[in-house]
Amino acid sequence: MENQWILKTGVISMIRVEKLKGFGNVQIVEAEIPIPKDQEVLVKMKSSLISRGSELFRRYVLDEPVSHSMMGYSGSGNISEIGSKITGLDKEQRVFVGGPHAEYVLGKIERGLFPLPESMSYQIATFIGLSTSALSWARSTPIKPGDDIVVLGQGIVGNLYSQAVREREPGRVITVDTIPLRIKASLKSGADMVLNESEGKIIEQVKDLTGGLGADVVVDCVGGPAGIKSFNQAQRMVKKDGVIHLIGAYQGGPNPGSGQLNLDSSFMMDKLLICGIRSSQPRKAHQADAVKMLDKGSIKVDHLITHSMLGVNTPDAYHLLYNHPDQALGVVLEWDQQ
């Protein structure tokens, strides 16, 4: 095996990402390379993607330590070892794996392990996890062909949703953000119109665009503390019998559960609110479709990658995403170049 560190005990080891005690205390640590069980494979990682929304606001900002297994969940690499009860996979096969940021990761079929098309790069493959979720969300939203959809937030999740929802044949996909970097990315992704929330009167703009009625569907992908404001806006820009789909995982304080939703009855009467993924299809079915969409370019992600950094520099990547959201969007970590 390549690129291994050696522990003082002489045991072959790897490096991985951990969130230790303290706000923003993300570190690179040494750990033993895991051994796959019968139903697992060991993947030598090539690339992994940091999901800014969940990995920052539900991990990075906490004072308490966070399990290594929770730090990252979307990567790609080559199978290094195969459990005795795994069939249909080969050593060195290129795969997507839903695991944490590390040089080596254990993968399971039921946790999203998926063979990569030969035409797909390792970097593009790191978007399979979030693209699968975006497609699942888009298939959960009550949409009629021709509906005007407003997508609040154009981070990676909001951007991928606004592309995946084209499958539902909406009328216009109108996106909203405040950051120029994300506004440009949304336009490149094919949004029919991008509104700059920092210019103010965003509710009035949506009403003007929809003949004073409001949007048929508003999808809230903002997340983090800012998500509370966006949800309040969503209630005021959706039409009387419209739909609000809440996707962003947000909170008013540092801990999960500290974000209270304000439902204003004067705006929410006669409207439908749904949250998260509501689909009878198994995730595997959405995943297979998402891989095809990424491979043929109906979901585009090249322009969402703003930085590529070595795995050993992962703490700098997290600090960059937290402190400079105006400069970074998709940050991919590279694990075979240490």
Side-chain angles (χ1 to χ4, degrees), residues 19-26 56 59-64 254 319 322-323:
K19 161 61 175 65
L20 306 179
K21 182 175 174 57
F23 179 99
N25 190 12
V26 174
L56 290 189
R59 291 147 174 83
Y60 181 93
V61 301
L62 301 181
D63 182 65
E64 62 266 26
H319 303 329
Y322 185 80
N323 293 311

Side-chain angles (χ1 to χ4, degrees), residues 301-322:
V301 297
D302 296 81
H303 62 289
L304 303 183
I305 302 173
T306 58
H307 294 77
S308 178
M309 304 175 72
L310 295 179
V312 292
N313 297 325
T314 298
D316 293 334
Y318 276 86
H319 303 329
L320 171 67
L321 283 166
Y322 185 80

Side-chain angles (χ1 to χ4, degrees), residues 149-320:
I149 300 175
V150 173
V151 183
L152 302 177
Q154 283 297 285
I156 292 177
V157 166
N159 190 294
L160 293 175
Y161 178 95
S162 68
Q163 295 187 64
V165 79
R166 293 292 185 184
E167 179 191 63
R168 303 292 307 281
E169 300 182 348
R172 292 176 293 179
V173 176
I174 302 166
T175 62
V176 179
D177 210 293
T178 62
I179 300 175
L181 174 70
R182 297 180 183 180
I183 290 172
K184 291 179 182 178
S186 188
L187 288 169
K188 287 183 179 180
S189 296
D192 295 300
M193 185 176 297
V194 185
L195 305 180
N196 189 338
E197 200 272 336
S198 64
E199 295 176 355
K201 297 185 177 180
I202 196 68
I203 298 169
E204 289 82 354
Q205 290 186 64
V206 171
K207 290 289 186 68
D208 288 343
L209 288 169
T210 55
L213 298 176
D216 298 295
V217 179
V218 178
V219 183
D220 188 352
C221 301
V222 174
I228 293 177
K229 176 184 176 182
S230 70
F231 184 75
N232 288 333
Q233 292 175 326
Q235 295 177 70
R236 289 158 174 77
M237 67 174 63
V238 68
K239 71 176 186 178
K240 183 177 180 180
D241 59 347
V243 174
I244 297 176
H245 190 170
L246 180 62
I247 289 175
Y250 60 87
Q251 58 264 2
N255 299 311
S258 58
Q260 299 294 318
L261 279 175
N262 292 316
L263 288 176
D264 191 325
S265 61
S266 62
F267 291 105
M268 285 301 296
M269 288 299 179
D270 305 318
K271 298 177 176 66
L272 175 65
L273 170 64
I274 69 167
C275 303
I277 295 172
R278 294 175 57 83
S279 173
S280 59
Q281 279 188 293
R283 184 173 175 84
K284 269 291 184 180
H286 299 302
Q287 185 183 45
D289 291 341
V291 171
K292 291 177 183 177
M293 295 171 79
L294 281 166
D295 196 36
K296 71 179 182 181
S298 53
I299 292 181
K300 303 177 180 67
V301 297
D302 296 81
H303 62 289
L304 303 183
I305 302 173
T306 58
H307 294 77
S308 178
M309 304 175 72
L310 295 179
V312 292
N313 297 325
T314 298
D316 293 334
Y318 276 86
H319 303 329
L320 171 67

